[in-house]
Every structure is written in C-alpha cells, then in structure tokens.
C-alpha cells in the first residue's frame, strides 16, 4: 500500500473511532463535523474528504461496532453444548454492559437514530435479522421448538435487558425464565 493510501486509511479509522466515542458521550445528533474533526485530530474538510456526511461516518462507525459485538455472540453459541449453556453464556457476556457504559449507549443512540434515518434503519435491521437467523439456526440444530420465534424473543430480551439496566436491578429469575424458553 502506498504511503498516501495508508495515511488516508489511518485518518479514516481515526474518524470512525472518534465517532464511536462521541456518540455515547454527546448523543447522535450532537456530533458535528467540527467536533468529530477535533476529536480525530484533523481539519473539518478532511471529514468530508473521506465521507460524504457526518451521518455517513456515524453510520459506518456504529454498524461496524455493532457487527463486532454481535460476532462475539456467534462464538458463545458455537461453544455452548446445550441451549441452557448458551443462555448462561449469553447472559454472562452482557454482564460487562451496565446500560450506561459506552457500548450500551452506542447501541441505544443507534437504535433511536435508526427510527429517523431510513438508511441506518435498513442496516441495523439487517444486523438484527442476521443475528436472529444465526441464533435460530443454532436453536434448530439443538431442537428447540419454534427456533425463529425463540431467537427473536431472545434478541429482544437482551436488548430490553440492556435498556432496563439503567433504570434498576434485573429480576433474579431472568436466567430461569430464559432457560425455560429454550428447553
């Protein structure tokens, strides 16, 4: 790769990293070209050299981050030998998210922004659908009844749990109820 191309790629990555930091800190709609450029250590014109709009930077940053988080769940399901073990592993994997941490806030802000941006909506809906499909395929292999519906409920439960964590403690019976869902 030519030095100029490598430098351009590095700047692009700094912009994406800055966007992923700023969204949880300020909220989606409060990230401007100036603020993004300042955080990335570039001039505002560089933002628009690499992306057609701030919205495009935010979208790419969040879709990439969400894709990475969802990829870790694939590993959980692959290593789990039973549906109950998969539930335990899934719940253990989200312990690091208390609802106020940067990744939880990034997801929340992205979901909200997706209600106003059709392109973002399509991309996030695709991630959700893809996640549900992978989970449903795993549930099918493990002979869980109604795997597609069960996968949808699991995905919605995890999203809801992360939203609710900011408001109060979760039910101690959650693991039991989710295990019953896949038994």
């Amino acid at each position: 790769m030519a030095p100029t191309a490598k430098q351009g790629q590095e700047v692009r990555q700094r912009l994406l990293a800055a966007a992923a930091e700023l969204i949880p800190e300020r909220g989606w709609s409060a990230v401007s070209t100036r603020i993004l450029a300042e955080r990335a250590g570039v001039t505002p014109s560089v933002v628009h050299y690499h992306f057609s709009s701030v919205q495009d930077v935010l979208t790419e940053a969040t879709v990439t981050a969400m894709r990475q988080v969802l990829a870790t769940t694939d590993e959980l399901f692959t290593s789990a030998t039973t549906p109950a073990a998969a539930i335990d592993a899934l719940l253990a994997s989200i312990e690091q998210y208390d609802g106020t941490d940067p990744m939880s806030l990034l997801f929340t802000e992205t979901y909200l922004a997706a209600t106003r941006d059709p392109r973002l909506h399509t991309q996030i809906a695709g991630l959700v659908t893809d996640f549900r499909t992978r989970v449903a395929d795993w549930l099918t292999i493990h002979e869980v009844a109604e795997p597609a519906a069960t996968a949808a409920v699991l995905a919605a439960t995890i999203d809801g749990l992360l939203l609710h964590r900011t408001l109060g403690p979760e039910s101690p019976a959650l693991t039991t109820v989710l295990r019953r869902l896949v038994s």
Side-chain angles (χ1 to χ4, degrees):
M1 182 180 289
T4 326
K6 184 178 179 186
Q7 184 181 17
Q9 195 62 11
E10 288 170 0
V11 168
R12 186 177 173 83
Q13 290 308 311
R14 283 201 329 257
L15 287 166
L16 292 169
E21 291 172 3
L22 287 165
I23 293 166
E25 289 174 19
R26 295 178 173 257
W28 189 283
S29 61
V31 179
S32 67
T33 300
R34 183 187 56 75
I35 291 168
L36 180 61
E38 187 177 291
R39 177 66 61 94
V42 299
T43 62
S45 63
V46 171
V47 174
H48 294 290
Y49 175 80
H50 289 281
F51 296 92
S52 61
S53 68
V54 171
Q55 185 72 16
D56 285 348
V57 183
L58 301 179
T59 298
E60 186 171 331
T62 57
V63 169
T64 299
M66 292 175 87
R67 189 174 284 124
Q68 290 169 347
V69 168
L70 293 174
T72 64
T73 60
D74 287 345
E75 297 165 16
L76 296 173
F77 280 94
T78 302
S79 63
T81 56
T82 67
I87 293 297
D88 292 344
L90 185 60
L91 290 175
S93 76
I94 64 166
E95 282 302 312
Q96 65 185 310
Y97 306 114
D98 67 6
T100 62
D101 61 279
M103 191 58 71
S104 295
L105 295 173
L106 182 73
F107 268 64
T108 301
E109 286 287 333
T110 302
Y111 277 18
L112 182 59
T115 66
R116 296 181 182 98
D117 178 341
R119 190 172 142 260
L120 179 62
H121 179 274
T122 299
Q123 290 189 39
I124 300 306
L127 289 176
V128 170
T129 300
D130 188 48
F131 173 74
R132 286 180 185 173
T133 300
R134 291 191 314 273
V135 172
D137 291 347
W138 188 90
L139 293 171
T140 299
I141 292 167
H142 289 82
E143 300 177 355
V144 172
E146 300 181 60
T150 302
V153 169
L154 283 174
T157 299
I158 297 304
D159 283 345
L161 173 62
L162 293 173
L163 284 171
H164 286 212
R165 281 190 173 168
T166 61
L167 303 172
E170 61 196 57
S171 167
L174 183 66
T175 302
T176 304
V177 171
L178 289 177
R179 280 179 162 197
R180 193 169 40 235
L181 180 68
V182 297
S183 64

